[in-house]
């Protein structure tokens, strides 16, 4: 049986609850040897794990050391969720420093998302049991979006928030949506829930500031929106270089 | 600590045959205040669900209600109803985790039912329980998704009301799915009650002396959505109330010297007191409404009964969700009112699964958050947690038990509170070297 661990660093536990709510979880309980999963069991052995799923960003030396030790021992490290992959929501704190897992070790695979999308999470958990390869889609959110066919870059963007169900692409309604630069995989989850994408899956190509600059160079973005940079950097610090 | 949401540890000082100090340490700091200050008001509801992975809906509702109170708007009744339904889903999900993954393994271990103290141990001995847990969890997530938009961000719940209503098809499917969970939870309740009877003697030491309950449960409408009035209820049933806008005067925060977090005590009683939020407090509020006799509150503050109360609340949430969907929900697209945040102060209270959750925000002249104060139930319960742990450990020490046995019982006592550490470490942080 594959020896699996689930580690929580600086996080909200949302990714781990997504694991508990995953359709494959009952199967995982029975067909993998779970050695650490503090949320559900007292058994805690971090030695000789085959695979470890890591939720949360790194904020202390102990966590960084633990990751390095696991990596040196040959444990496959899987970064789970935007905090582990990008730094996550806490990147915006002016008072504390948070790093993604890949600052310290080279993850075997990474699944961003706050929390990660259900279908991809199921595939990722399955890959831990049967050894299958896991890959992230190399497309943007618009590719999965029901409104992609009427997307336009011609309308002035004057708002960041929707207050109703969209009848067309948010960009056509003058609302900023980060779908064009964000990695697909969530099946345009927020858009289907009437909310523009704010980029939790991370940027698809290059680094985030460049992608934002590109998007803003083709969109007609009003001055007030341009000043509001927080939205674009909700899940990672601007200087971060992504390594997938 | 294991089987707790988030990162925490018990630090106990024992001097010979005395427990001299207990610290419930929550070492991880999460600077949400720093993240939030300066953000646009309308972004607040998008940020706060990330405080807690198990009660994001309560945080979202706390934020939108605070914004609405600052803007002095009232939302359409159907919006409040769908918010309540989303909260009921969250109650079912959170309590299912707490009962099946956290406290049942302890109580089954105490009754010699299992040797491996977790859901896998349970599954080997009583295979009926895991499928019940999964069915409840899935039903809760369907209810939250339908009403709040999704399970983790609740983006359907916006300042002013809702983005959209549910459809008749969704209503029918929800009713059906909720009905299908009832037999499982009723069976669990009987089983848990039987387990409790088996260990009646053992659990006496888990009784909290003279608790002071805190709740904003709406006892008129029976809603977790809450009222603006916070109630303190003493064991004899006497009550005092204050407005949620004044909470910083009545609930004073105190730094924990060993951790970057805080605990809360009631201003009228400056020593560390026995403030208790959550299912016990909500029951106290309901019982105080039905009869003011001291009799009706008897036996509530035993922490091992918390599990039973959570099972009761799951059943209540399921039956009440069915009732609301069948008799009060209405179709229609009139689900929100327009709202433009002005310079103002807003406050809110809501019953999260673990107890009263309080928000207070200051909005500046450019529509950004100037200041924010969030009080979460685990902070309210923190002093009671240390008090009960000390009491339990002292009782075990008097019985001559080993350190390992004593610590095991202490951990069980902590789990009875269902502490939400991710939530509790959100706050004003101080950094240690
Ligand atoms: S990625 Fe999102 S859901 Fe996961 S731990 Fe971070 S904040 Fe929580
Ligand atoms: S910009 Fe947003 S709404 Fe428009 S197609 Fe892309 S994801 Fe969909
Ligand atoms: S639409 Fe954007 S913000 Fe929403 S889940 Fe997908 S990537 Fe994340």
């Amino acid at each position: 049986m594959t020896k699996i661990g689930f580690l929580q660093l600086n996080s909200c536990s949302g990714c781990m609850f997504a694991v508990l709510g995953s359709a494959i979880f009952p199967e995982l309980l029975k067909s993998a040897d779970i050695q650490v999963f503090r949320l559900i069991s007292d058994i805690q052995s971090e030695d000789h794990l085959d695979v470890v799923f890591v939720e949360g960003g790194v904020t202390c030396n102990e966590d960084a050391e633990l990751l390095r030790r696991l990596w040196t021992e040959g444990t496959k490290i899987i970064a789970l969720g935007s905090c582990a992959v990008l730094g996550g929501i806490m990147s915006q704190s002016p008072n504390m420093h948070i790093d993604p897992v890949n600052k310290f070790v080279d993850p075997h695979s990474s699944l961003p998302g706050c929390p990660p999308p259900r279908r991809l999470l199921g595939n990722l958990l399955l890959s831990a049991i049967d050894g299958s390869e896991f890959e992230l889609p190399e497309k943007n959110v618009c590719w999965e979006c029901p409104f992609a066919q009427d997307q336009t870059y011609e309308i002035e963007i004057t708002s960041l928030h929707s207050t109703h169900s969209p009848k067309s692409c948010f960009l056509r309604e003058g609302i900023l949506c980060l779908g064009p630069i964000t990695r697909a995989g969530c099946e345009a989850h927020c858009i289907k829930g009437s909310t523009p994408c704010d980029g939790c899956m991370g940027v698809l190509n290059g680094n985030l500031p460049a992608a934002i600059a590109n998007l803003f160079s083709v969109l007609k973005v009003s001055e007030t929106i341009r000043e509001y940079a927080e939205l674009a950097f909700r899940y990672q610090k601007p200087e971060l270089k992504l390594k997938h | 600590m294991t089987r707790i949401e988030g990162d925490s540890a018990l630090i106990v000082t024992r001097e010979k045959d005395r427990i001299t100090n207990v610290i419930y340490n929550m070492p991880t700091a999460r600077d949400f205040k720093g993240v939030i200050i300066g953000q646009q008001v309308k972004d607040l509801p998008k940020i706060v669900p990330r405080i807690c992975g198990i009660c994001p809906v309560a945080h979202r509702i706390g934020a939108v209600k605070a914004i609405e109170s600052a803007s002095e708007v009232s939302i359409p009744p159907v919006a409040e109803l769908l918010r309540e339904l989303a909260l009921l889903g969250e109650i079912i999900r959170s309590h299912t985790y707490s009962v099946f993954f956290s406290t049942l393994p302890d109580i089954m271990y105490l009754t010699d039912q299992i040797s491996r103290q977790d859901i896998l141990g349970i599954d080997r001995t009583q295979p009926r329980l895991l499928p019940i847990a999964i069915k409840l969890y899935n039903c809760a997530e369907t209810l939250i998704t339908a009403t709040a938009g999704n399970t983790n961000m609740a983006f359907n719940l916006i300042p002013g009301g809702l983005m959209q209503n549910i459809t008749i098809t969704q209503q029918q499917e929800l009713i059906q799915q909720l009905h299908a969970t009832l037999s499982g939870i009723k069976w669990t309740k009987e089983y848990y009650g039987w387990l409790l009877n088996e260990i009646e003697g053992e659990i006496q030491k888990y009784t909290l002396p003279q608790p002071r309950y805190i709740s904003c449960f709406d006892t008129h409408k029976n809603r977790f959505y809450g009222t603006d009035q916070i109630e303190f209820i003493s064991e004899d049933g006497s009550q005092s109330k204050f407005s949620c806008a004044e909470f910083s005067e009545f609930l004073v925060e105190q730094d924990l010297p060993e951790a970057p977090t805080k605990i809360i005590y009631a201003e009228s009683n400056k020593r560390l007191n026995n403030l208790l939020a959550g299912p016990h407090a909500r029951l106290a509020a309901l019982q105080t409404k039905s009869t003011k006799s001291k009799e009706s509150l008897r036996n509530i503050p035993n922490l091992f009964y918390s599990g039973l109360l959570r099972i009761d609340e799951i059943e209540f949430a399921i039956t009440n969700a069915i009732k609301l969907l069948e008799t009060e929900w209405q179709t229609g697209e009139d689900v929100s009112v327009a709202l433009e945040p002005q310079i103002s102060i807003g406050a809110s209270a809501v019953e999260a699964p673990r107890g009263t959750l309080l928000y207070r925000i200051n909005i500046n002249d450019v529509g950004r958050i100037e200041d924010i104060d969030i009080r979460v139930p685990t902070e309210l319960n923190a002093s009671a947690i240390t008090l009960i742990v000390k009491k339990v450990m002292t009782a075990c020490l008097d019985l001559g038990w080993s350190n390992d046995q004593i610590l095991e019982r202490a951990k069980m006592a902590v789990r009875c509170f269902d502490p939400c550490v991710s939530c509790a470490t959100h706050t004003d942080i101080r950094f240690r070297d």
Side-chain angles (χ1 to χ4, degrees):
Chain A
M1 264 196 199
T2 315
K3 284 189 176 175
I4 295 188
F6 291 88
L7 284 185
Q8 290 182 262
L9 309 182
N10 194 306
S11 68
C12 81
S13 304
C15 297
M16 289 301 159
F17 278 106
V19 171
L20 289 191
S22 154
I24 196 182
F25 178 66
E27 173 64 23
L28 190 78
L29 268 181
K30 289 170 188 171
S31 46
D33 180 6
I34 299 179
Q35 292 280 314
V36 208
F37 196 166
R38 213 175 40 208
L39 203 57
I40 64 164
S41 181
D42 297 344
I43 295 171
Q44 293 196 80
S45 165
E46 282 140 8
D47 296 331
H48 311 294
L49 292 171
D50 296 310
V51 183
V52 67
F53 293 86
V54 182
E55 171 200 74
V58 182
T59 48
C60 61
N61 292 340
E62 290 91 329
D63 288 347
E65 283 311 313
L66 176 60
L67 289 176
R68 283 199 192 100
R69 176 167 75 78
L70 288 166
W71 194 64
T72 319
E73 285 171 2
T75 302
K76 280 184 189 169
I77 294 177
I78 300 182
L80 192 62
S82 303
C83 294
V85 180
L86 308 166
I89 191 92
M90 213 34 72
S91 305
Q92 287 185 82
S93 162
N95 303 311
M96 61 188 283
H97 187 79
I98 192 160
D99 285 309
V101 165
N102 73 3
K103 166 112 190 244
F104 307 96
V105 293
D106 200 4
H108 177 260
S109 38
S110 298
L111 173 57
C114 184
R118 283 280 155 97
R119 189 177 54 80
L120 291 183
L121 178 60
N123 294 347
L124 184 68
L125 294 172
L126 196 64
S127 76
I129 305 175
D130 67 8
S132 56
E133 276 307 306
F134 171 80
E135 279 181 11
L136 285 172
E138 291 298 324
K139 310 257 190 194
N140 66 6
V141 174
C142 303
W143 174 71
E144 300 180 312
C145 178
F147 300 124
Q149 73 283 356
D150 57 21
Q151 191 184 56
T152 176
Y153 284 14
E154 295 307 312
I155 309 289
E156 187 181 16
I157 303 296
T158 54
S159 174
L160 296 164
H161 306 99
S162 65
T163 52
H164 59 277
S165 305
K167 304 269 181 290
S168 60
C169 170
F170 278 118
L171 300 179
R172 188 173 284 277
E173 301 197 1
I175 299 168
L176 184 65
C177 178
L178 296 187
I181 57 167
T182 303
R183 185 182 293 278
C186 68
E187 299 170 51
H189 182 74
C190 298
I191 293 96
K192 288 174 186 163
S194 309
T195 306
C197 172
D198 61 2
C200 82
M201 287 291 287
V203 69
L204 175 62
N205 289 316
N207 69 42
L208 184 60
I212 294 285
N214 278 343
L215 184 69
F216 278 26
S217 70
V218 289
L219 286 175
K220 293 179 181 158
V221 183
S222 72
E223 270 317 304
T224 40
I225 302 288
R226 277 178 195 277
E227 279 169 21
Y228 192 56
E230 293 94 320
L231 172 89
F233 303 110
R234 179 151 290 156
Y235 303 96
Q236 65 186 99
K237 277 199 175 27
E239 74 271 12
L240 186 78
K241 295 254 187 318
L242 265 189
K243 198 162 76 167
H244 279 294
Chain B
M1 286 289 312
T2 50
R3 287 184 282 128
I4 292 289
E5 197 226 355
D7 194 11
S8 65
L10 270 176
I11 301 167
V12 181
T13 314
R14 172 183 171 172
E15 283 172 19
K16 293 199 179 116
D17 55 355
R18 270 189 338 123
I19 303 292
T20 51
N21 197 21
V22 173
I23 298 159
Y24 186 50
N25 190 11
M26 300 181 255
T28 314
R30 301 177 72 233
D31 177 33
F32 269 91
K33 189 165 178 166
V35 169
I36 289 165
I37 288 177
Q39 300 266 3
Q40 284 198 350
V41 175
K42 284 186 180 172
D43 275 338
L44 182 67
K46 289 185 175 181
I47 295 167
V48 295
R50 269 81 186 208
I51 291 176
C52 176
I54 190 73
C55 47
V57 174
H59 277 283
R60 176 106 185 186
I61 290 177
V64 293
K65 277 178 80 174
I67 297 169
E68 285 154 4
S69 107
S71 313
E72 296 180 11
V73 300
S74 302
I75 61 168
V78 68
E80 189 181 315
L81 185 98
L82 254 67
R83 289 181 185 181
E84 174 68 11
L85 284 165
L87 267 177
L88 293 176
E90 190 155 275
I91 295 282
I92 300 169
R93 179 172 67 172
S94 175
H95 285 0
T96 296
Y97 166 71
S98 171
V99 169
F100 291 86
F101 291 85
S102 186
T103 44
L104 255 175
D106 285 343
I107 196 164
M108 286 175 78
Y109 177 79
L110 285 177
T111 49
D112 292 328
Q113 306 285 311
I114 52 174
S115 51
R116 183 179 164 145
Q117 229 171 316
D118 61 18
I119 192 76
L120 276 168
I122 289 183
D123 198 43
R124 284 176 201 152
T125 309
Q126 188 44 271
R128 248 181 116 164
L129 286 166
L130 182 59
I132 292 174
I134 290 169
K135 201 166 181 175
L136 283 167
Y137 202 94
N138 290 343
C139 174
E141 295 221 318
T142 311
L143 180 58
I144 301 170
T145 306
T147 51
N150 74 349
T151 55
N152 52 292
M153 284 290 293
F155 44 47
N156 195 36
L157 317 181
I158 53 167
L162 300 177
M163 200 86 83
Q164 57 195 29
N165 204 345
I166 58 169
T167 62
I168 291 176
T169 316
Q170 281 177 307
Q171 174 220 24
Q172 295 301 321
E173 283 171 2
L174 285 173
I175 292 171
Q176 221 176 18
Q177 201 171 340
L178 285 158
H179 268 297
T181 59
L182 273 171
S183 60
I185 196 66
K186 283 189 201 304
W187 185 85
T188 309
K189 189 157 125 182
E190 273 176 33
Y191 184 63
Y192 198 101
W194 174 78
L195 291 170
L196 271 185
N197 277 338
E198 294 288 295
I199 49 164
E200 212 173 338
E202 155 77 23
I203 62 175
Q204 288 316 313
K205 48 184 170 292
Y206 295 83
T207 301
L208 185 68
Q210 298 174 322
R212 194 151 186 241
Y213 302 110
I214 177 167
S215 161
C216 70
F217 189 81
D218 184 342
T219 53
H220 294 288
K221 291 188 190 166
N222 270 343
R223 288 194 184 172
F224 291 85
Y225 191 69
T227 67
D228 293 342
Q229 294 291 307
I230 316 296
E231 274 185 282
F232 282 134
I233 305 159
S234 301
E235 212 184 5
D236 63 4
S238 61
Q239 294 160 274
S240 57
K241 290 189 181 189
F242 63 91
S243 154
C244 69
E246 303 166 293
F247 75 73
S248 30
E249 288 161 45
F250 288 87
L251 298 167
V252 178
E253 282 185 319
Q254 180 181 305
D255 289 332
L256 281 177
E258 302 79 3
T261 48
K262 291 168 187 285
I263 56 168
I264 294 171
Y265 63 90
E267 171 63 13
S268 56
N269 186 357
K270 278 201 172 177
R271 67 189 167 81
L272 290 187
N273 56 33
N274 315 339
L275 208 55
L276 189 57
H280 291 272
R282 293 189 283 259
L283 181 59
L286 277 168
Q287 289 187 329
T288 311
K289 182 191 155 201
S290 59
T291 159
K292 287 203 185 299
S293 78
K294 182 176 178 175
E295 200 66 7
S296 66
L297 294 180
R298 217 174 52 185
N299 242 345
I300 291 178
N302 187 298
L303 270 301
F304 258 98
Y305 280 87
S306 308
L308 203 54
L309 293 190
R310 287 195 180 91
I311 295 171
D312 260 339
E313 285 198 334
I314 294 175
E315 193 182 2
F316 169 85
I318 296 167
T319 47
N320 213 36
I322 294 171
K323 189 176 124 227
L324 293 178
L325 282 162
E326 280 177 343
T327 61
E328 292 192 35
W329 175 74
Q330 290 183 332
T331 53
E333 289 178 9
D334 192 12
V335 290
S336 67
V337 291
L339 175 155
E340 257 332 300
Q342 311 283 336
I343 177 164
S344 51
I345 294 174
S348 73
V350 61
E351 281 296 314
R354 290 157 181 83
T356 312
L357 170 65
L358 298 155
Y359 268 72
R360 190 181 148 97
I361 54 169
N362 288 25
I363 304 171
N364 69 15
D365 54 352
V366 287
R368 293 194 178 224
I369 303 281
E370 187 85 15
D371 198 10
I372 183 156
D373 191 354
I374 306 171
R375 306 291 172 89
V376 301
T378 295
E379 287 171 274
L380 297 170
N381 285 335
S383 59
I385 292 177
T386 52
L387 189 120
I388 203 88
V389 165
K390 194 168 176 187
K391 183 173 176 238
V392 167
M393 293 184 95
T394 302
C396 294
L397 206 55
D398 291 345
L399 293 170
W401 289 5
S402 69
N403 274 351
D404 283 351
Q405 286 173 307
I406 296 171
L407 262 175
E408 194 49 55
R409 295 303 195 276
K411 288 196 259 177
M412 289 181 187
V414 175
R415 289 185 195 115
C416 285
F417 284 89
D418 188 19
C420 179
V421 183
S422 304
C423 225
T425 54
H426 76 282
T427 189
D428 277 359
I429 52 170
R430 290 168 295 115
F431 294 94
R432 291 173 296 169
D433 291 335

